[in-house]
Amino acid sequence: MKKNSRIAIAAVATAGLLGLAGCAGGTDSAGGGSAEESKDITIAVFNGWDEAVATSELWKAVLEEQGYNVELEYADVAPVFAGLSSGDYDMTTDVWLPGTHASYLEEFGDDITDLGAWNDESKLTVVVNEDAPIDSLAELAENADLFGNTIVGIEPGAGLTMAMENEVIPGYGLEDMSFVTSSTAAMLTELQTATESGENIVATLWDPHWANTAYPVKELEDPEGALGGTESLHSYGKADFADEFPEVADWMGGFEMDLETLYSLEQAMFVDYDGDDYGPIVQQWIEDNQDYVDGLTS
């Protein structure tokens, strides 16, 4: 299953967090600070969250065309928020509100800044194979044996994982099922394996994600609303982002991307292409969607 290389470098990105201080968006200390807008931007990317990867790669290409030097740094959710709050990272593009990342905003919200919401159609989900004999989370407990008494999760620190542990599992009486957390890549591998073998599977997922169309899965109904409602996807920056990058802050404030456009980009990067060198893929997508991309900086 592809995408494993992004997950594999998580430890490197996280371990290097402390060493990033002063490297991302620094000022000219020789003159006690510079009035000129910095051109070096570090974008932090959540491991395993492909809408984060897609939008970060897109903005990397867009900003570099505008004369910026952009580095993408992959890390798990908690280190990304910590890095933004300390100024080690400049920005990130995939903060889910009001529910999924609420606990991180409670901890770090005073030290980071909201650059704007770019999508308001997103939600957390639990999916099963499309021919599974259940349609609702309310039916899962009594049919747990059909799924090997296992729910396949993603990263332990993800907001989706916390929602499962704190709301879904107790809310639907799923305590007797094994909730296995590892990584998004591992979850996708399990989906692939179940699809190929024709076996039942229940897994945590979210929309937008290319796996919703790449695999024959269906979303389980959530009559209790345990996963929360529709959420907005925000870009966030370090506290002084707008001071250091006023032009980029303005562009991010106007950034919008609907699900159809996002799925088009994800399809090109993660479904039609099997690799990790996304630069040429994104450039081709930009050429095919030039009017939209031109509007990002107009």
Side-chain angles (χ1 to χ4, degrees):
M1 193 73 191
K2 57 195 176 186
K3 321 296 180 299
N4 288 342
S5 61
R6 291 201 307 275
I7 307 303
I9 64 175
V12 175
T14 304
L17 186 60
L18 295 178
L20 288 171
C23 296
T27 56
D28 184 0
S29 59
S34 172
E36 295 184 2
E37 180 171 6
S38 175
K39 291 292 184 178
D40 298 324
I41 296 181
T42 299
I43 300 176
V45 188
F46 294 148
N47 280 321
W49 292 68
D50 283 336
E51 73 278 2
V53 179
T55 53
S56 297
E57 288 281 357
L58 175 60
W59 275 105
K60 181 178 188 293
V62 169
L63 292 174
E64 288 181 341
E65 181 67 22
Q66 297 294 326
Y68 291 85
N69 306 309
V70 181
E71 294 291 334
L72 302 186
E73 295 284 349
Y74 287 86
D76 288 335
V77 175
V80 167
F81 279 100
L84 287 174
S85 69
S86 64
D88 294 326
Y89 297 137
D90 294 314
M91 61 173 284
T92 193
T93 66
D94 197 27
V95 177
W96 287 55
L97 295 174
T100 302
H101 292 136
S103 63
Y104 295 103
L105 266 294
E106 291 175 4
E107 182 175 358
F108 299 107
D110 291 341
D111 300 312
I112 58 181
T113 184
D114 189 353
L115 301 177
W118 54 269
N119 180 280
D120 60 2
E121 308 167 272
S122 304
K123 58 183 177 179
L124 303 178
T125 63
V126 175
V127 300
V128 295
N129 45 297
E130 64 180 2
D131 59 351
I134 66 171
D135 297 299
S136 171
L137 281 165
E139 302 174 278
L140 183 54
E142 63 184 30
N143 292 281
D145 58 322
L146 299 178
F147 300 90
N149 291 293
T150 299
I151 302 171
V152 182
I154 58 170
E155 288 76 8
L160 173 54
T161 300
M162 289 189 284
M164 289 294 296
E165 293 173 336
N166 298 332
E167 303 294 337
V168 176
I169 291 174
Y172 288 102
L174 304 175
E175 292 89 348
D176 290 337
M177 294 188 73
S178 176
F179 180 42
V180 180
T181 59
S182 176
S183 67
T184 301
M187 179 274 292
L188 293 171
T189 298
E190 291 296 322
L191 274 181
Q192 176 76 22
T193 300
T195 298
E196 292 175 348
S197 64
E199 296 178 351
N200 290 327
I201 185 171
V202 56
T204 62
L205 196 58
W206 61 94
D207 196 11
H209 196 288
W210 56 268
N212 288 293
T213 55
Y215 298 109
V217 296
K218 62 181 178 181
E219 176 186 341
L220 289 180
E221 297 172 3
D222 178 17
E224 299 298 326
L227 285 166
T230 302
E231 298 200 55
S232 296
L233 307 186
H234 293 240
S235 298
Y236 262 76
K238 61 183 182 180
D240 60 350
F241 186 90
D243 295 328
E244 191 167 343
F245 306 102
E247 183 178 50
V248 180
D250 183 59
W251 292 336
M252 299 311 298
F255 175 36
E256 293 182 356
M257 194 177 213
D258 61 27
L259 289 184
E260 181 179 358
T261 306
L262 178 57
Y263 272 131
S264 171
L265 179 56
E266 289 191 350
Q267 176 79 24
M269 293 176 63
F270 309 129
V271 180
D272 297 340
Y273 171 66
D274 185 9
D276 293 313
D277 183 13
Y278 296 120
I281 307 302
V282 172
Q283 286 297 336
Q284 182 60 57
W285 188 89
I286 288 174
E287 292 178 17
D288 294 339
N289 297 270
Q290 196 66 60
D291 289 344
Y292 168 77
V293 174
D294 289 344
L296 295 177
T297 55
S298 63

